Amino acid sequence: MSTTLLTLEELADLEERQSHILPAGTLMDRAGFVIANWIDDQCDAASTIVILCGPGNNGGDGYTAAAHLKGRGHHVICVMVGGKKPKTEDAQRAYQNWLDKGGEVMEDPYMAPKADVVVDAMFGVGISKPISGDFIDAVLWFNERQALHMAIDIPTGIDAEKGTWVGGIKGCMADMTLNLISAKAGCFMNDGKDASGMVTLSELDVSVPLASRGLIDTDDFKHILELRKYNSHKGTYGHVVVIGGAKGKTGAAIMAARSALKLGAGSVTVELMLDNPPAYDPVQPELMITNDEQDLSQADAIVIGCGMGFSEHAKKRLVDAINTKVPLIIDADALTMISQDQALEDSVLGRRAHTVMTPHPGEAARLLHRDVKEIQADRMESARELALQTGAIVVLKGTGTVVALRSSRTWVNPTGSACLSTAGTGDVLAGMIASFFAQKFDMVSATLGAVWLHGEAVRARNTGIVAMDVAERAARALEILRWGGNPDDLIDPYDESEFVLDEDGPGEALARTMGSEEA
């Protein structure tokens, strides 16, 4: 994993070990310097900055950053919320240093001047109970300001591991958040995604150990990003069979199949649950469409469940698919059938081929026999439990999609936007995962790569996207990355505009291929 997600216990242990290695206050000094640079980068000269400081080390980081910012010519005010002075030794030292430098401190944020930047340094990961008292007023003040909102480590009120509001009380809403030492899972899930805004990480020169949890990154699926060999044919990239599409739901299976084809599968057959299936797909005539039962042993990957319905025929085909030795992606109606039949679930657990289950929270709740709120309250643990229960790779969809293995290795996906909240995007994801399995990528690369690209496809977009746009844009994202490009260099890289990469790299060949005059 390229970006580790430590639990709060692991983080506390790491900080404790560092305290025995480094001189007192070193981590806070580093944090203050990094935070000041981060804020300064967003400011014009001589900006007015108000920092809300809590009584713990998060507040100490705020006081330390304030001293650096004041030295750079900014007008900085620290609000000691509710008059609560620092409690930890490092924070007390930072507070005294701020006073010694002539720093301005007040207790009521509403007395502060109009600010260009407001900074939340109240609790960070240290919050264990709902916000109350003077801190409620400080949160309201923070959210009301017409300013740039920045949070240190994690917005106040967000559970650092689960992304939920502690006690259901809404806290600070930031435009930008700077994680310290380790990325915080809560910034990428549930309400934490909206509350955190753009998230960056500084490890403060600490060697962060490997852990069982991480954020999905392109380093996790490097083989998918390699250019294809010229000496290949459609058989090289595998055959996907998609089973689903009952009456009124045909589009679900078609979208999964189109997506598998768009992301590189050599060929795709759609087995529809219809008496009179269409002869072909007029939008994607490359697809093979039938209602005849396919020999599943000849497939390289199978998707089952998209718009499948719950007929006896559908259940039979689900049993047939589970009994194959072919990688299987189980989605939608197939997940519901499994949740209602213990024998089916037991047969999934007994499979000897790779199995991926792609539930949304409602489907996960049915499989675990719980309430949806319980699933969302701890998305990572829910995904891990379902993976252990079924033996499958579990892709728990939602804000901060979670991928969990039976071994308990877990990833949170940082990509995605509200554009995925539309019909069919789950079918598209199932087809993308199958495509990568068919192309013989390993199970981790195939799953993580599809999930990351699926979310990356809608970066910089908030509306105006439908499900099949996601597959098109995901393929475009993959193309850019394979030629050595960086999608972050463009606001919306998945339109039809040309892109030109480094002259000395593969981008030169790509530019020639695309007819660029700069090549």
Side-chain angles (χ1 to χ4, degrees), residues 75-211:
H75 179 207
V76 186
I77 300 97
C78 287
V79 176
M80 186 169 62
V81 180
K84 292 179 173 57
K85 292 186 177 181
K87 295 179 179 179
T88 69
E89 186 176 336
D90 286 347
Q92 290 169 357
R93 180 182 60 84
Y95 172 66
Q96 188 59 50
N97 180 60
W98 172 242
L99 294 179
D100 292 344
K101 291 182 179 297
E104 187 176 352
V105 177
M106 57 181 58
E107 297 183 9
D108 184 355
Y110 285 95
M111 300 301 293
K114 179 176 174 56
D116 302 298
V117 180
V118 293
V119 182
D120 166 21
M122 287 188 281
F123 287 109
V125 300
I127 191 166
S128 58
K129 56 185 179 181
I131 306 163
S132 61
D134 294 318
F135 291 97
I136 287 283
D137 292 336
V139 165
L140 292 173
W141 176 89
F142 180 89
N143 291 339
E144 290 167 356
R145 295 311 95 188
Q146 297 296 313
L148 178 63
H149 300 77
M150 306 180 78
I152 296 175
D153 215 14
I154 193 167
T156 288
I158 287 292
D159 185 299
E161 294 189 20
K162 301 174 183 178
T164 54
W165 293 116
V166 175
I169 304 299
K170 181 179 177 181
C172 290
M173 300 293 294
D175 300 308
M176 305 175 70
T177 299
L178 176 62
N179 291 164
L180 299 175
I181 300 181
S182 168
K184 307 301 185 292
C187 287
F188 303 93
M189 292 189 293
N190 291 320
D191 290 315
K193 182 81 170 178
D194 287 312
S196 301
M198 182 185 298
V199 180
T200 53
L201 167 67
S202 173
E203 295 182 346
L204 304 182
D205 293 326
V206 172
S207 179
V208 179
L210 294 176

Side-chain angles (χ1 to χ4, degrees), residues 216 220-224 263 301 327 329 354 356 393 395 403 429-454:
I216 303 176
D220 292 312
F221 51 95
K222 290 186 288 187
H223 293 307
I224 289 179
L263 271 294
I329 291 78
H354 295 314
V356 183
I393 306 165
V395 178
V403 179
L429 177 59
M432 291 173 61
I433 296 171
S435 181
F436 289 148
F437 271 102
Q439 294 171 67
K440 309 300 190 296
F441 293 115
D442 66 88
M443 67 173 188
V444 172
S445 294
T447 308
L448 299 185
V451 169
W452 190 93
L453 287 164
H454 184 258

Side-chain angles (χ1 to χ4, degrees), residues 168-438:
I169 304 299
K170 181 179 177 181
C172 290
M173 300 293 294
D175 300 308
M176 305 175 70
T177 299
L178 176 62
N179 291 164
L180 299 175
I181 300 181
S182 168
K184 307 301 185 292
C187 287
F188 303 93
M189 292 189 293
N190 291 320
D191 290 315
K193 182 81 170 178
D194 287 312
S196 301
M198 182 185 298
V199 180
T200 53
L201 167 67
S202 173
E203 295 182 346
L204 304 182
D205 293 326
V206 172
S207 179
V208 179
L210 294 176
S212 63
R213 312 187 314 169
L215 293 177
I216 303 176
D217 187 80
T218 53
D219 285 345
D220 292 312
F221 51 95
K222 290 186 288 187
H223 293 307
I224 289 179
L225 305 184
E226 296 172 357
L227 289 169
R228 286 181 163 193
K229 305 299 183 186
Y230 285 106
N231 187 20
S232 62
H233 51 82
K234 68 179 181 182
T236 306
Y237 303 115
H239 179 58
V240 174
V241 174
V242 177
I243 305 173
K247 184 178 180 181
K249 300 180 181 179
T250 307
I254 295 293
M255 284 188 287
R258 289 179 183 175
S259 301
L261 205 57
K262 287 288 184 184
L263 271 294
S267 60
V268 181
T269 297
V270 190
E271 182 187 316
L272 293 174
M273 303 284 108
L274 296 176
D275 292 333
N276 296 297
Y280 68 101
D281 177 4
V283 175
Q284 202 78 63
E286 298 89 348
L287 294 177
M288 295 172 281
I289 299 179
T290 183
N291 64 352
D292 294 333
E293 292 188 2
Q294 299 298 293
D295 181 354
L296 300 182
S297 67
Q298 300 303 304
D300 294 293
I302 302 165
V303 177
I304 192 162
C306 302
M308 190 176 192
F310 307 100
S311 66
E312 287 302 314
H313 181 214
K315 185 173 181 178
K316 174 188 178 300
R317 291 306 278 159
L318 175 57
V319 171
D320 292 342
I322 292 172
N323 288 334
T324 66
K325 297 179 181 179
V326 175
L328 177 64
I329 291 78
I330 306 175
D331 189 37
D333 294 344
L335 293 171
T336 297
M337 283 191 278
I338 290 170
S339 72
Q340 297 169 346
D341 188 329
Q342 187 60 48
L344 281 176
E345 184 176 307
D346 291 343
S347 64
V348 171
L349 181 61
R351 292 196 83 235
R352 292 294 178 264
H354 295 314
T355 309
V356 183
M357 302 179 82
T358 58
H360 57 55
E363 291 161 343
R366 289 193 286 273
L367 286 160
L368 290 171
H369 307 290
R370 292 186 184 164
D371 187 87
V372 173
K373 289 183 179 179
E374 293 180 72
I375 301 299
Q376 294 294 76
D378 196 339
R379 289 174 54 76
M380 280 194 288
E381 186 56 34
S382 297
R384 281 178 160 182
E385 185 173 344
L386 187 53
L388 187 62
Q389 176 177 307
T390 63
I393 306 165
V394 171
V395 178
L396 178 56
K397 297 178 288 194
T399 303
T401 291
V402 178
V403 179
L405 307 185
R406 187 178 184 180
S407 66
S408 84
R409 287 193 68 183
T410 310
W411 294 261
V412 177
N413 185 40
T415 65
S417 78
C419 279
L420 294 177
S421 301
T422 189
T425 55
D427 304 311
V428 168
L429 177 59
M432 291 173 61
I433 296 171
S435 181
F436 289 148
F437 271 102

